[in-house]
Amino acid sequence: MPRTTHRLRVILFLKGLLFGFLLAATVGPMWVLCFRRTLAQGALAGFVSGMGIAVADGLYGAVAAFGLTAISGFLLRYSFWIGLAGGAFLVYLGVKILMSNPTMNGKEEQKVSHPKAFLSTLGLTLANPPTILAFAAIFAGLGLASNADYGAASLVVLGVFLGSASWWVLLAAGAGWLRGKLVPMRGPPLFRTINVVSGLTILGFALWQLAAVLR
């Protein structure tokens, strides 16, 4: 492989890595959901939830990078209904969190299993098909789509996935550390406050998404 080609691929990978990290670090409903799950159930629950988001980011990145027009066309054609379903599920999640009551030891009555945590964040992240357009536009703007080489495209997608995953690792670790610090204060009042703040925040994002879809 020519040295210039190798250097170009490294640069593309690093750009994908940075983009994936910044995309994941942007505060949104998934950010709030993962943070709360970590506080309520521990770092592993937050990590698994974050991996669902990272996988979805990687999938959408692949659709944009490889120009899978059939898939992107289908998702964008039905983006209204997919977005509506995603917004409705966010409303359900927000209300459920808002109304949930912690037990005396600060834990939830029912824990979300790790497979369910992964699938829920994967599905919610995929329920925003216009993300493909954002990926395509940013890829083009950063020069990530200027090379038709499938090897380079694969490195971009890998970078997006790893960048996103690295953020969720940091978030889960940080929230897990905070959870440990809150142990002495753990109790129904504290966790009730966390539920109210998280629930209202997710409901706010849900209403914003529904308004955008309906508009």
Side-chain angles (χ1 to χ4, degrees), residues 16 19 71 133 143 154 177 200 205 209:
F19 173 57
I71 296 176
L133 298 179
S154 299
W177 174 84
L200 289 176
F205 282 116
Q209 177 169 330

Coordinates of all heavy atoms in Angstrom, one line a residue, residues 16 19 71 133 143 154 177 200 205 209:
G16 N -13.3 9.8 11.6 CA -14.5 9.0 12.0 C -14.6 8.8 13.5 O -15.6 8.9 14.1
F19 N -15.6 12.1 15.0 CA -17.1 12.4 14.8 C -18.0 11.5 15.6 O -18.9 11.9 16.2 CB -17.3 12.1 13.3 CG -18.8 12.2 12.9 CD1 -19.5 13.4 13.2 CD2 -19.4 11.2 12.3 CE1 -20.9 13.5 12.9 CE2 -20.8 11.2 12.0 CZ -21.5 12.4 12.3
I71 N -31.4 0.7 1.3 CA -31.7 0.8 2.7 C -32.1 2.2 3.2 O -33.1 2.4 3.8 CB -30.6 0.2 3.6 CG1 -30.3 -1.2 3.2 CG2 -30.8 0.4 5.0 CD1 -29.1 -1.8 3.9
L133 N -28.9 11.3 6.6 CA -28.6 12.5 5.9 C -27.5 13.3 6.6 O -26.6 13.8 6.0 CB -29.8 13.3 5.7 CG -31.0 12.7 4.9 CD1 -32.2 13.6 4.9 CD2 -30.5 12.3 3.5
G143 N -14.6 15.4 4.0 CA -13.8 14.7 3.0 C -13.8 13.2 3.2 O -12.9 12.5 2.6
S154 N -14.6 1.4 5.3 CA -14.7 0.5 6.5 C -14.0 1.1 7.7 O -14.5 1.0 8.8 CB -14.1 -0.8 6.1 OG -14.8 -1.5 5.1
W177 N -19.0 5.8 39.0 CA -18.2 6.4 40.1 C -19.1 7.3 41.0 O -19.1 7.3 42.2 CB -17.1 7.2 39.6 CG -16.3 8.0 40.6 CD1 -15.3 7.6 41.4 CD2 -16.5 9.4 41.0 NE1 -14.9 8.6 42.2 CE2 -15.6 9.7 42.0 CE3 -17.4 10.4 40.5 CZ2 -15.5 11.0 42.6 CZ3 -17.3 11.7 41.1 CH2 -16.4 11.9 42.1
L200 N -38.7 13.9 33.1 CA -39.1 15.2 32.5 C -38.2 15.5 31.3 O -38.6 16.0 30.3 CB -39.1 16.3 33.5 CG -40.2 16.2 34.6 CD1 -40.0 17.3 35.6 CD2 -41.6 16.3 33.9
F205 N -37.4 15.8 25.3 CA -36.8 15.4 24.1 C -37.9 14.7 23.2 O -37.9 14.8 22.0 CB -35.7 14.5 24.3 CG -34.4 15.2 24.7 CD1 -33.8 15.0 25.9 CD2 -33.8 16.0 23.8 CE1 -32.7 15.6 26.3 CE2 -32.6 16.7 24.2 CZ -32.0 16.5 25.4
Q209 N -39.0 15.8 19.4 CA -38.9 14.9 18.3 C -40.3 14.7 17.6 O -40.4 14.8 16.4 CB -38.5 13.5 18.7 CG -38.4 12.5 17.5 CD -37.7 11.2 17.9 OE1 -36.8 11.2 18.7 NE2 -38.1 10.1 17.3

